[in-house]
């Protein structure tokens, strides 16, 4: 995996990153502490009350999708 997008995220962080792909009205509860962690990594952004996945967050999610399979098992 490209080191630029190689993040060692917890299961909760992966779930939050996946949730940020959905429109705001379709998301389940957003945990502010996890969102703040993702924002600190540059994977998410908070604009007022709206939280979004960043382009870097999308790349990490796509490249890390193979790791997500391990979480299911």
């Amino acid at each position: 995996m490209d080191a630029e997008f190689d993040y060692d995220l917890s299961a909760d962080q992966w779930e939050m990153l996946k949730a940020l792909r959905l429109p705001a009205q379709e998301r389940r509860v957003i945990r502010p502490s996890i969102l703040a962690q993702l924002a600190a990594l540059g994977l998410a952004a908070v604009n007022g009350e709206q939280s979004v996945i960043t382009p870097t967050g999308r790349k990490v999610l796509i490249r890390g999708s193979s790791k997500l399979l391990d979480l299911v098992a």
Side-chain angles (χ1 to χ4, degrees), residues 15-38:
E15 288 301 318
M16 178 68 68
L17 200 57
K18 288 187 332 185
L20 289 174
R21 296 176 306 163
L22 300 172
Q25 64 271 20
E26 293 181 27
R27 293 183 199 154
R28 294 181 287 173
V29 176
I30 297 289
R31 293 178 47 196
S33 61
I34 302 294
L35 183 60
Q37 294 168 10
L38 293 175

Side-chain angles (χ1 to χ4, degrees), residues 6-66:
D6 192 13
Y7 290 83
D8 188 23
L9 301 178
S10 70
D12 289 337
Q13 290 170 323
W14 279 117
E15 288 301 318
M16 178 68 68
L17 200 57
K18 288 187 332 185
L20 289 174
R21 296 176 306 163
L22 300 172
Q25 64 271 20
E26 293 181 27
R27 293 183 199 154
R28 294 181 287 173
V29 176
I30 297 289
R31 293 178 47 196
S33 61
I34 302 294
L35 183 60
Q37 294 168 10
L38 293 175
L41 293 169
L43 305 178
V46 179
N47 186 7
E49 292 187 20
Q50 183 179 13
S51 53
V52 295
I53 189 169
T54 63
T56 302
R58 283 193 189 286
K59 290 175 185 174
V60 167
L61 188 60
I62 291 168
R63 289 185 177 255
S65 60
S66 61

